[in-house]
Amino acid sequence: MARSALINVMVTAATKAGRSLTRDFNEVENLQISIKGPGDFVSQADLKAEKTLREALNKARPGYSFLMEEGGLIDTGSDHRWIIDPLDGTTNFLHSNPFFAVSVALESHGQLVAGVIYDPISEELFTAERGRGAFVNDRRMRVAARTGFDESVIATGIPALNKTEHAVALARQRDIMSRVAGIRATGSAALNLAYVAAGRFDGYYETGLSPWDMAAGLLIVREAGGFVTEPDPDASMYETGSLVAGNEIIHGKLRHLLNKPLPEALQKK
Ligand code: 2AM
Ligand code: CA
């Protein structure tokens, strides 16, 4: 299927940023053995990729607003806003684990209209436009048809140790892991969503996310026929940072489990 002009703009920007990340990723391996480690170098790689994205997008579509992981919000008053994460999966990148991605979404009049997630290591490009379906390297994607919860593989994220949600996340994970075929914590929210869209994960849930971690992936999963929501039907994903994804059945089942009352010690007072 021919790509639209908009998707072409986003793909050009994401692959340019991805090439910059790949070059730096090769360097990170050498820095693992240095005393200081690769931390500062990775921050620079992240900033450089964001600058590349910003410049490419702004050149093709001047004047749009930006919401960026590193640069924050640049509000130009435009009806269009790019939501970008130059390096999703930073911890993987820092540790030379080849599982990270560039994520670019476009919101117009408050609605997600296009999303691109690019994994520069596998060179997989996940794209979607509102109402036009989702694609991986230009092949149509659909979420998995699997409905047996006990056969499903579910992605999740483990919150950083110092976070209060840690105990809650473990309680949820203990409950869910006893009912499914496997749990995967990959370290990239964007790729988790892309993999749900591609039918590689049957479901995904995570807390503590930011809008740029999810924006492109939300549209890609929905355009692949999947469901993504806040676990609480009355809450907004962008506000709470929690989401649950899958096909209709797996999404419903996961959402039900995530809404079960917690042990008393973990309940908010
Ligand atoms: P990042 O790599 O861009 O930081 C890991 O489970 C997922 O959570 C990644 O997509 C990661 O994005 C995201 N995330 C968001 N906030 C985070 C934080 N404070 N610490 C670690 N990961 C975070
Ligand atoms: Ca991120």
Side-chain angles (χ1 to χ4, degrees), residues 238-256:
Y238 276 2
E239 278 162 28
T240 65
S242 300
L243 61 72
V244 49
N247 68 27
E248 187 173 8
I249 304 293
I250 302 291
H251 169 267
K253 180 84 186 166
L254 268 179
R255 173 138 106 165
H256 169 74

Side-chain angles (χ1 to χ4, degrees), residues 26-151:
N26 293 330
E27 195 57 40
V28 162
E29 203 135 48
N30 300 325
L31 293 170
Q32 301 297 348
I33 52 168
S34 77
I35 305 246
K36 214 166 120 242
D40 289 347
F41 179 81
V42 171
S43 304
Q44 290 309 312
D46 194 0
L47 288 168
K48 207 162 45 177
E50 186 166 283
K51 185 163 180 274
T52 301
L53 271 182
R54 224 185 109 188
E55 285 174 357
L57 293 170
N58 205 39
K59 193 169 164 205
R61 294 286 188 278
Y64 287 15
S65 296
F66 278 91
L67 179 62
M68 299 171 278
E69 164 139 40
E70 306 304 330
L73 176 67
I74 297 179
D75 190 354
T76 61
S78 164
D79 290 331
H80 309 284
R81 177 166 83 152
W82 300 113
I83 304 177
I84 65 179
D85 189 346
L87 173 53
D88 186 65
T90 316
T91 305
N92 286 339
F93 190 96
L94 182 72
H95 290 261
S96 302
N97 291 196
F99 203 75
F100 55 88
V102 180
S103 175
V104 182
L106 179 66
E107 205 181 63
S108 292
H109 304 275
Q111 223 178 34
L112 283 169
V113 294
V116 167
I117 294 172
Y118 179 55
D119 174 343
I121 300 296
S122 69
E123 296 187 5
E124 280 190 308
L125 194 55
F126 303 89
T127 60
E129 258 185 296
R130 192 179 177 80
R132 294 190 175 187
F135 299 83
V136 52
N137 290 351
D138 298 320
R139 281 194 325 274
R140 184 78 194 243
M141 282 195 290
R142 293 287 302 170
V143 291
R146 194 170 288 110
T147 54
F149 202 59
D150 57 349
E151 295 169 0

Side-chain angles (χ1 to χ4, degrees), residues 46 69-70 85-93 99-101 156-160 162-163 185-192 204-214 241:
D46 194 0
E69 164 139 40
E70 306 304 330
D85 189 346
L87 173 53
D88 186 65
T90 316
T91 305
N92 286 339
F93 190 96
F99 203 75
F100 55 88
T156 189
I158 299 165
N162 59 356
K163 289 200 182 157
T186 69
S188 166
L191 286 178
N192 286 340
Y204 168 46
Y205 71 97
E206 186 155 2
T207 57
L209 298 176
S210 298
W212 43 79
D213 302 318
M214 7 170 145

Side-chain angles (χ1 to χ4, degrees), residues 165-232:
E165 307 91 21
H166 201 207
V168 172
L170 279 177
R172 295 298 185 203
Q173 193 174 320
R174 191 176 299 123
D175 185 29
I176 290 167
M177 74 197 288
S178 66
R179 303 166 190 271
V180 298
I183 298 269
R184 300 288 181 267
T186 69
S188 166
L191 286 178
N192 286 340
L193 287 166
Y195 276 36
V196 168
R200 299 172 187 173
F201 290 141
D202 301 295
Y204 168 46
Y205 71 97
E206 186 155 2
T207 57
L209 298 176
S210 298
W212 43 79
D213 302 318
M214 7 170 145
L218 293 184
L219 186 70
I220 292 173
V221 171
R222 286 176 180 156
E223 288 296 325
F227 287 65
V228 195
T229 64
E230 223 288 347
D232 174 350

